[in-house]
Structures are given as structure tokens and as C-alpha cells.
């Protein structure tokens, strides 16, 4: 075995015209291919190379060899890139795998002309491969190309040549395209943020989808300022705001225009003009605390929602006024959950913030029990008129329940009175008489009416089909014919058991499903 160290590999020359020894600089690739290029052409094509080559070289000795610059691109990508820069026949790149590495290099070296040419090549591939082009554009940071590709996927929902018999949701079209990509290569080297914006663009209606700007990556911050606390400014991404509200998207766009004009006029007095701001400033007529909470759930999701009914009320008002319909629905769901356990407090807080729908829902929940002696501290900040109206509502609910129960008694009486002939005789023989069949229902429903006034008219009434079957099964002589009582009662209890246990069984089964990561 030889102890000699391995000899270093000797670089090879690139193919014509990059083997011209008269060139004044060498670009060396990782696969050890030397490209002899002319610095004037390279400087003209790339501001990056222009700055690099303009730096003074160390020492004043006369060089006998061209300086070597190591680059990270492989020889194939560099060859194609340089041919786009040189005055020669341009290479035809028809495959995405050929275009992407060249495009990334062109963007890296800020070569405007190659980027333009390659972007056009990508746009030409959009009709045949929209998902692949979108992925390539995201990797290269090409906003216009990514949006064109995403728009093509949206168009496939309704166009006849999309292969769908009926119009399908845009997300279904995306799913079909991903099924063709068995290795999911189009999602590799793509950020979750890019994928999120694509799905939102496809999911939202046209009027909302167009507000997702920029499409490839979030734009710079904007400043948000509330009139109740002007000393506090909140930072946010314009694209995030536009995702949640068309209104905010439009206001952010206008703030950017205003900011550009203002700062352009104050270019020579930056830092001295009272009108100058580093970032676009958007003033909002909502509570500063509510805005801070809204931004938290915009970025972190609903886990950042508060539990306080007052805080939720301010967020409901802010999300409504700012046009954040999806956030409003999420906050409303949290409010509803909190109001379930504290309906009286929810009623008075909703009244304070003029949330009429929430006040009505809370009142409906509050009358599920007696209002007598029920106190909450939010009463101290609400008018007596609001409390009086709740009491009037309670009494009206009691009367409404009594009327419905009376109707039930009358309906049952009519139904049993209409039993005649053979059925009447059989019923009397088996159940103890026609009047007995009526009496148990009369007694039961009158008892419920008394409880309405005493315990609350909005309570859960035991008048569902299952509960009535359970009630009549408790006294064999009241309804079931004695000869089939055991069978009927057994069937009744089985129905009740299924109705009680099946929802839990389904939830338990879903909980056992594992998510593949």
C-alpha cells in the first residue's frame, strides 16, 4: 500500500468560448471546471461581479496568470448562465430542472437580463405544469411567476379542459396535482409559509384571494397605531393583515403609497421631520389592547385567545370594525364557550359593548335557571333598564313554556279520546283504561310547567322522544300493553342506549387515528 498522499486534481477547461486564454479572469466551479471569461462582459451583466472586480488587488506585482474566483454553481449551470450573458446564441432550456439552477445563479449575481429571459421561459410552462412552476418560482423568489402559476390552478376549477366533470374546489385541484407528484418533490425546499399562502389563495373567494400580496414571501413590516393610545405602535406584516381582512389589505396598500410619497419628499431631512416614519403607518380606530390580542391570534392562532368576557367583547368589536370576518367567527366561538358558564355576566358585558346578538344568546342561556338572587359584578357597570328587560324576558319565557305544555296536554287528550272500537277496548283492557292513558301525561306536563316558573323556563326539558319513552316505561300500566311490556320496554332502553353511547364511540374512534408526520 502506497504512503504517498493523493495528488490534487487538475482543473479542466470549459468548452468554447470559455476556454479563451486571452480572457482576464477564471471562474472555477466545485467540479473543477475553469471558465475563462472577460471581466468587462461579466461586470456589465452583474452588479455583484462589477463590485467584486473593482476592488483593488493586493500588491503591485505584475500578474502572469489570470485571477481565479471560486463559485458555488456547478459547471452545467454556470455554462448556461454565461451563454445568456455573452453575445452569442442563447441555449434553449425547456425543462424546469435545467432552468431553476441557472435562475437561482442569475438572481444571486443580480443579472437582470438572464432573470428576465428565464422568467419568460417559466411563464411559458405555466399551462402545462402550474404546480412545478409555482415551486420553482418560490425557490427563486419570483413573485409574478408564482402568482401566475397559482392563478392557473384556480382557473382549472371551472375551465372545461381541467378534466373535471363538475367544477371542483381549487384545493381539490391542488390535491390532484400533488397526487401526481408521488415523491412530493414540489414541496421540498419550499417554506411552510409559501405553501400556506398558496392554499389561502386557492381557498379564498376572488375578492379576498387577490389581497394575498406579496405571494412568495411576506413583505416588510407596517406600523399600526390606535387612537386611544397613540404612543404605542404595533408591528405587523401587510400580507398577514390582508389574509384576514380585505379592508385592512386595502388600507395597508394605501399606507405604503402615502409612506413612499412622504419619505420621498423628506429624503434630505430624514429623522428631523415630524411626518417621517421608518415604516408605513396605519391608524386604526379600535382599542389598542384589542388590536394587540387580534395580532396575537393572527400569528399564533386561537390558542392566544383570552378567557375574559370583557377582553373577548373588545376583540369582537375590533374584528367586526376591521372586517376580519374569519377572526370574528373564531372569537365569537370562544365568547360562546365562555358565556355558557357565565351567561348572566355575558349578557351585561354584551349590553355594554352593544353586541346585540351575543346579548340575546346570553339571555337565552341565563333563563335556564332562576334569576332570583343571581348577581354578577358586571351589573355595576350596566343600566338598570338592561336588567329590567332581562326580567321581563324571563317572565315571558315562563308564560311561553306554560302555553306549549298546555298544548301538549290537549294534544295528548285528543289523541287518546280518538281511540275507538276494537283498539279502544284492547287499550282499556291492557293499560287500565282510556283515562289512565291521559292522566299520566297530564300530570307529567303540569309538573314541568310548575318547574318552569320555579327553576327557569330555559332549562333542558325532558320532552324529547327518548325522554318520553323512558318516562312512560317507568309505569307498565300507564301506556304499554301488559302482554308486550317487557319487549317494548327493552327496545326503548336499547334506543336510549344507542343514542347515548354512539356519539362517544365515534369521538373515541377518531381520537385513535394517528397523524402521519
Amino acid at each position: 500500500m502506497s504512503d504517498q498522499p493523493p495528488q490534487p486534481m487538475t482543473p479542466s477547461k470549459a468548452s468554447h468560448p470559455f476556454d479563451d486564454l486571452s480572457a482576464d479572469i477564471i471562474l472555477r466551479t466545485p467540479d473543477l471546471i475553469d471558465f475563462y471569461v472577460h471581466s468587462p462582459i461579466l461586470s456589465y451583466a452583474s452588479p455583484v461581479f462589477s463590485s467584486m472586480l473593482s476592488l483593488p488587488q493586493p500588491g503591485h506585482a505584475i500578474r502572469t496568470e489570470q485571477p481565479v474566483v471560486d463559485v458555488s454553481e456547478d459547471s452545467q449551470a454556470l455554462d448556461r448562465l454565461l451563454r445568456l450573458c455573452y453575445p452569442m446564441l442563447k441555449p434553449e432550456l425547456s425543462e424546469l430542472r435545467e432552468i431553476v439552477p441557472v435562475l437561482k445563479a442569475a438572481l444571486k449575481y443580480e443579472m437582470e437580463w438572464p432573470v428576465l429571459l428565464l422568467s419568460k421561459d417559466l411563464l411559458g410552462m405555466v399551462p402545462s405544469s402550474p404546480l412545478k412552476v409555482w415551486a420553482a418560482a418560490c425557490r427563486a423568489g419570483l413573485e409574478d411567476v408564482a402568482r401566475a402559476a397559482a392563478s392557473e390552478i384556480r382557473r382549472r376549477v371551472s375551465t372545461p379542459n381541467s378534466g373535471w366533470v363538475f367544477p371542483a374546489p381549487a384545493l381539490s385541484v391542488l390535491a390532484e396535482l400533488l397526487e401526481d407528484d408521488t415523491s412530493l418533490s414540489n414541496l421540498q425546499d419550499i417554506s411552510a409559509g409559501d405553501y400556506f399562502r398558496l392554499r389561502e389563495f386557492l381557498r379564498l373567494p376572488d375578492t379576498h384571494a387577490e389581497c394575498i400580496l406579496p405571494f412568495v414571501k411576506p413583505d416588510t413590516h407596517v406600523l399600526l397605531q390606535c387612537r386611544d393610545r397613540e404612543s404605542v405602535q404595533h408591528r405587523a406584516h401587510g400580507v398577514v393583515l390582508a389574509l384576514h381582512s380585505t379592508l385592512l389589505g386595502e388600507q395597508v396598500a394605501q399606507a405604503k403609497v402615502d409612506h413612499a410619497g412622504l419619505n420621498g419628499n423628506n429624503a434630505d431631512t430624514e429623522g428631523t421631520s415630524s411626518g417621517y416614519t421608518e415604516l408605513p403607518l396605519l391608524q386604526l380606530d379600535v382599542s389598542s389592547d384589542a388590536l394587540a390580542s387580534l395580532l396575537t391570534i393572527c400569528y399564533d392562532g386561537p390558542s392566544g385567545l383570552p378567557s375574559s368576557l370583557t377582553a373577548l367583547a373588545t376583540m369582537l368589536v375590533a374584528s367586526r370594525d376591521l372586517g376580519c370576518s374569519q377572526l370574528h367567527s373564531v372569537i365569537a366561538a370562544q365568547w360562546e364557550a365562555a358565556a355558557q358558564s357565565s351567561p348572566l355576566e355575558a349578557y351585561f358585558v354584551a349590553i355594554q359593548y352593544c353586541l346585540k346578538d351575543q346579548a340575546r344568546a346570553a339571555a337565552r342561556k341565563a333563563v335556564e335557571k332562576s334569576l332570583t338572587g343571581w348577581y354578577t359584578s358586571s351589573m355595576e357597570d350596566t343600566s338598570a333598564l338592561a336588567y329590567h328587560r332581562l326580567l321581563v324576558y324571563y317572565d315571558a319565557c315562563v308564560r311561553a313554556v306554560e302555553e306549549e305544555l298546555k298544548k301538549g296536554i290537549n294534544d295528548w287528550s285528543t289523541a287518546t279520546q280518538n281511540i275507538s272500537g276494537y283498539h279502544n277496548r284492547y287499550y282499556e283492557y291492557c293499560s287500565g283504561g282510556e283515562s289512565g292513558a291521559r292522566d299520566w301525561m297530564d300530570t307529567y306536563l303540569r309538573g314541568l310547567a310548575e318547574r318552569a316558573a320555579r327553576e327557569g323556563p330555559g332549562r333542558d326539558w325532558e320532552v324529547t322522544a327518548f325522554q318520553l319513552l323512558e318516562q312512560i316505561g317507568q309505569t307498565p300500566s300507564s301506556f304499554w300493553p301488559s302482554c308486550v311490556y317487557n319487549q317494548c320496554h327493552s327496545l326503548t332502553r336499547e334506543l336510549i342506549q344507542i343514542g347515548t353511547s354512539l356519539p362517544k364511540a365515534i369521538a373515541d374512534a377518531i381520537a385513535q387515528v394517528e397523524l402521519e408526520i
Side-chain angles (χ1 to χ4, degrees), residues 196-216:
F196 167 77
R197 282 181 286 279
L198 173 65
R199 289 178 58 84
E200 289 297 289
F201 179 81
L202 298 176
R203 182 182 66 83
L204 294 174
D206 290 342
T207 53
H208 289 70
E210 292 304 320
C211 291
I212 303 179
L213 294 169
F215 191 74
V216 172

Side-chain angles (χ1 to χ4, degrees), residues 198-509:
L198 173 65
R199 289 178 58 84
E200 289 297 289
F201 179 81
L202 298 176
R203 182 182 66 83
L204 294 174
D206 290 342
T207 53
H208 289 70
E210 292 304 320
C211 291
I212 303 179
L213 294 169
F215 191 74
V216 172
K217 56 185 177 181
D219 54 352
T220 56
H221 291 286
V222 293
L223 297 177
L224 305 176
Q225 187 180 73
C226 299
R227 301 188 188 280
D228 70 333
R229 200 179 300 171
E230 295 187 351
S231 60
V232 177
Q233 293 181 337
H234 307 268
R235 285 176 177 258
H237 289 91
V239 65
V240 174
L241 299 177
L243 277 171
H244 289 94
S245 167
T246 302
L247 174 63
L248 280 178
E250 294 170 350
Q251 292 180 348
V252 167
Q254 184 59 50
K256 290 180 179 179
V257 172
D258 296 341
H259 177 262
L262 176 64
N263 291 352
N265 293 334
N266 294 326
D268 297 331
T269 58
E270 182 175 332
T272 61
S273 171
S274 60
Y276 176 81
T277 57
E278 178 186 1
L279 297 172
L281 178 65
L282 180 60
Q283 289 193 325
L284 301 174
D285 193 16
V286 298
S287 159
S288 182
D289 290 339
L291 177 62
S293 299
L294 285 179
L295 291 176
T296 298
I297 62 173
C298 280
Y299 284 91
D300 299 335
S303 60
L305 280 169
S307 57
S308 161
L309 283 165
T310 300
L312 289 169
T314 63
M315 294 177 69
L316 281 171
V317 172
S319 60
R320 179 195 63 198
D321 294 346
L322 297 177
C324 303
S325 56
Q326 289 183 322
L327 289 184
H328 189 81
S329 299
V330 172
I331 299 165
Q334 178 78 351
W335 165 279
E336 183 177 350
Q340 289 293 310
S341 58
S342 304
L344 191 64
E345 179 188 359
Y347 168 76
F348 289 115
V349 171
I351 291 294
Q352 292 171 32
Y353 286 90
C354 299
L355 298 170
K356 295 182 179 179
D357 291 342
Q358 283 74 20
R360 292 189 181 98
R364 174 64 183 83
K365 183 68 178 176
V367 297
E368 290 183 0
K369 69 179 202 176
S370 174
L371 293 181
T372 303
W374 194 1
Y375 170 83
T376 176
S377 59
S378 56
M379 288 178 168
E380 307 301 339
D381 301 315
T382 317
S383 71
L385 180 59
Y387 186 39
H388 176 73
R389 286 171 175 166
L390 180 62
L391 294 172
V392 170
Y393 173 74
Y394 181 95
D395 291 339
C397 288
V398 170
R399 291 193 298 272
V401 170
E402 290 174 345
E403 288 299 318
E404 292 302 318
L405 291 174
K406 287 179 182 178
K407 291 179 183 178
I409 294 171
N410 293 334
D411 291 343
W412 182 254
S413 177
T414 301
T416 54
Q417 284 176 351
N418 289 337
I419 298 175
S420 60
Y422 171 80
H423 297 90
N424 183 45
R425 291 191 298 274
Y426 179 79
Y427 193 89
E428 290 180 3
Y429 171 77
C430 295
S431 63
E434 179 182 329
S435 61
R438 293 196 304 271
D439 289 346
W440 80 267
M441 181 68 81
D442 185 284
T443 301
Y444 177 60
L445 295 184
R446 288 185 187 278
L448 293 182
E450 293 174 0
R451 291 175 63 184
R454 185 175 68 252
E455 300 177 10
R459 60 188 305 277
D460 184 17
W461 297 104
E462 299 94 339
V463 289
T464 65
F466 284 162
Q467 289 162 328
L468 285 175
L469 287 171
E470 176 73 359
Q471 177 69 24
I472 60 179
Q474 293 175 4
T475 8
S477 63
S478 65
F479 187 78
W480 298 123
S482 59
C483 58
V484 292
Y485 166 73
N486 289 334
Q487 294 89 334
C488 293
H489 187 58
S490 176
L491 178 61
T492 299
R493 296 202 61 82
E494 184 63 23
L495 287 172
I496 296 173
Q497 175 62 25
I498 291 173
T500 303
S501 62
L502 186 57
K504 184 179 184 304
I506 293 173
D508 290 344

Side-chain angles (χ1 to χ4, degrees), residues 134-153:
W134 167 81
C138 287
R139 294 185 184 102
L142 297 176
E143 164 69 25
D144 292 340
V145 177
R147 179 165 290 274
S151 297
E152 172 61 25
I153 298 175

Side-chain angles (χ1 to χ4, degrees), residues 146-159:
R147 179 165 290 274
S151 297
E152 172 61 25
I153 298 175
R154 277 182 73 95
R155 279 193 291 271
R156 291 191 177 202
V157 173
S158 56
T159 51

